[in-house]
Amino acid sequence: MSDQSNSNAMWGGRFASGPDAIMEAINASIDFDKRLAAQDIAGSRAHAAMLAACGIISNSDAEVIREGLLTVLSEIETGDFPFSRALEDIHMNVEARLKDLIGEPAGRLHTGRSRNDQVATDFKLWVRDQLDAVADGLRALIEALLAQAGTGAGLVMPGFTHLQVAQPVTWGHHMMAYVEMFGRDLGRVRDARARMNESPLGAAALAGTSFPIDREMTARALGFDRPAANSLDAVSDRDFALEFLSTASICATHLSRFAEELVIWSSAQFGFVTLSDRFSTGSSIMPQKKNPDAAELIRAKVGRINGALVGLLTVMKGLPLAYSKDMQEDKEQVFDAADSLMLALAAMTGMVSDMTPNADRLREAAGAGFSTATDLADWLVRELGLPFREAHHVTGALVKLAEDKGCDLDELTLAEMRSAHDGINQEVYSVLGVENSVASRQSFGGTAPGNVTAQVARWREVLG
Ligand code: ARG
């Protein structure tokens, strides 16, 4: 059908015709990998400077290339760049435009490299930027949680197991549980960044190159710690994207759990927390409604982020070394996961900063459901020397009695208390209040207000 003039300008030398429209549609990645433009140009600038420093291209060619690349970058930034699907991807779009701008020297840029090491480099640089952005997002969220924990260190609320009231805890302690989770996420981000920071550039197609290139130089210029040591691995490694996605999935899981709590807590039935108008929405039919949509969407985002992880794991499984075009399918899901995570982090930070715990309601709920029964059992052990199992049994009998009477534990008379164990005295009432309960839990990691304050101070120091 088509003659050779339609074949690809970059690699069409041995082709008699251009690609079928369907071939072009399945092959082209420019619609999404244009997001790598800045990284692609940074990689090319580092490569060109290195080629000149190693005497592989002339200094004057390198200078013309550098200026041309800066022009391309500004065209892309201002939206004036003529992206072309026929040119497949960002790498060939940039190079073709460079040729329009500077002519022959553009053709020397691709010496000693391939699109395989180029795309690995670009994508790594992009993921590295995302890791930095996620770290910033996590720090902001942790700060917001620390503020809540600081002001609510002594605020009593129910702690749950099985979503049944278990023991009183403090609001601050609950907030700090999420600080621990997001703190571990921050650690995973740092670990992933440190491990991924090796440069693939100069691995060329798969085997390295016969040109006397300096991979240390390009690695340094691009902020990598060192060049990747094996060219086959360098072009076929997507662990950095997988680690980004697994880190993102775990973080999104934490966000989703917290979001679920906010949905429950903000319901009329619970009334534990009031979300700000800024992070709530109304109903188009029920005027009285104030919905926790941000929390629900955060709860859901984990679905697409986990999907991206499983998607890329599936793309990579079974791929032989080195590069296969399958790997072009790595980008869209990482882009989507990164956007979703950043949005979820920002929305959660906004919600947490704005929300108000409802102290009265929390305190009332904290005392419900015989939540100080464990304190009673502990008192029997501590004061009367009962073995814990027996204390558990005695307390169970008192819970049953209170349940039958329809009252709380601290509303039982001393005579009623003594009916379960005759050693019980007036002192027992001192541990039945929720404030006393939380104040007594000073064991390391426990919910006592003093512990919370100390942990808030420690985290403020950690964050610097
Ligand atoms: N657009 C390609 C990708 O994203 C660039 C690498 C192409 N390499 C190749 N040998 N065809 O993976």
Side-chain angles (χ1 to χ4, degrees), residues 27 29 32-33 36 88-91 114-116 119 238 323-331:
N27 199 35
S29 54
F32 50 87
D33 67 17
L36 301 178
E88 286 184 33
D89 57 24
I90 186 63
H91 325 294
S114 138
R115 271 190 295 159
N116 296 349
V119 72
R238 292 295 180 275
Y323 179 86
S324 296
K325 197 61 174 264
D326 307 50
M327 290 162 70
Q328 181 167 286
E329 290 289 316
D330 58 1
K331 293 172 201 64

Side-chain angles (χ1 to χ4, degrees), residues 181-413:
M181 291 183 235
F182 294 122
R184 287 193 295 275
D185 290 332
L186 198 51
R188 270 181 283 276
V189 166
R190 290 195 184 119
D191 292 348
R193 193 191 196 286
R195 193 163 24 254
M196 64 113 70
N197 208 26
E198 297 185 341
S199 172
L201 195 58
L206 75 166
T209 174
S210 57
F211 291 98
I213 60 170
D214 181 351
R215 291 191 59 207
E216 291 280 354
M217 182 178 166
T218 46
R220 253 194 326 273
L222 295 169
F224 289 112
D225 296 329
R226 64 193 80 84
N230 182 296
S231 61
L232 289 167
D233 176 51
V235 295
S236 66
D237 165 39
R238 292 295 180 275
D239 289 5
F240 60 94
L242 290 170
E243 276 200 63
F244 172 73
L245 290 175
S246 63
T247 299
S249 289
I250 297 172
C251 178
T253 300
H254 295 152
L255 286 167
S256 185
R257 293 182 72 176
F258 194 19
E260 165 73 353
E261 298 208 298
L262 293 179
V263 170
I264 294 173
W265 291 357
S266 64
S267 68
Q269 292 84 344
F270 271 73
F272 283 8
V273 73
T274 305
L275 301 177
S276 72
D277 287 356
R278 301 195 318 147
F279 285 94
S280 308
T281 54
S283 156
S284 54
I285 178 167
M286 297 167 282
Q288 84 284 11
K289 295 269 297 195
K290 182 170 156 188
N291 294 326
D293 288 29
E296 293 169 290
L297 288 162
I298 293 168
R299 186 171 60 184
K301 290 285 183 206
V302 68
R304 51 207 287 176
I305 297 172
N306 287 355
L309 171 61
V310 175
L312 185 56
L313 283 168
T314 311
V315 166
M316 294 307 294
K317 89 171 265 303
L319 282 190
L321 298 184
Y323 179 86
S324 296
K325 197 61 174 264
D326 307 50
M327 290 162 70
Q328 181 167 286
E329 290 289 316
D330 58 1
K331 293 172 201 64
E332 283 165 288
Q333 31 204 351
V334 174
F335 292 160
D336 184 72
D339 293 343
S340 301
L341 184 65
M342 289 309 297
L343 202 49
L345 280 170
M348 186 57 98
T349 303
M351 261 196 308
V352 170
S353 307
D354 280 13
M355 71 186 180
T356 317
N358 301 329
D360 294 345
R361 177 69 199 115
L362 287 168
R363 196 193 175 286
E364 180 193 347
F370 312 112
S371 66
T372 54
T374 316
D375 298 278
L376 174 53
D378 287 351
W379 184 88
L380 294 168
V381 170
R382 206 170 45 243
E383 303 299 326
L384 306 185
L386 265 55
F388 183 77
R389 285 287 161 224
E390 193 187 334
H392 187 286
H393 194 78
V394 170
T395 305
L398 288 171
V399 166
K400 171 105 182 41
L401 189 60
E403 201 168 41
D404 291 346
K405 274 191 69 186
C407 70
D408 280 337
L409 279 175
D410 60 356
E411 287 163 352
L412 291 173
T413 64

Side-chain angles (χ1 to χ4, degrees), residues 439-457:
S440 72
R441 289 194 155 67
Q442 291 173 15
S443 57
F444 183 78
T447 195
N451 284 7
V452 173
T453 311
Q455 287 299 321
V456 170

Side-chain angles (χ1 to χ4, degrees), residues 93 122 203:
N93 268 268
D122 295 0

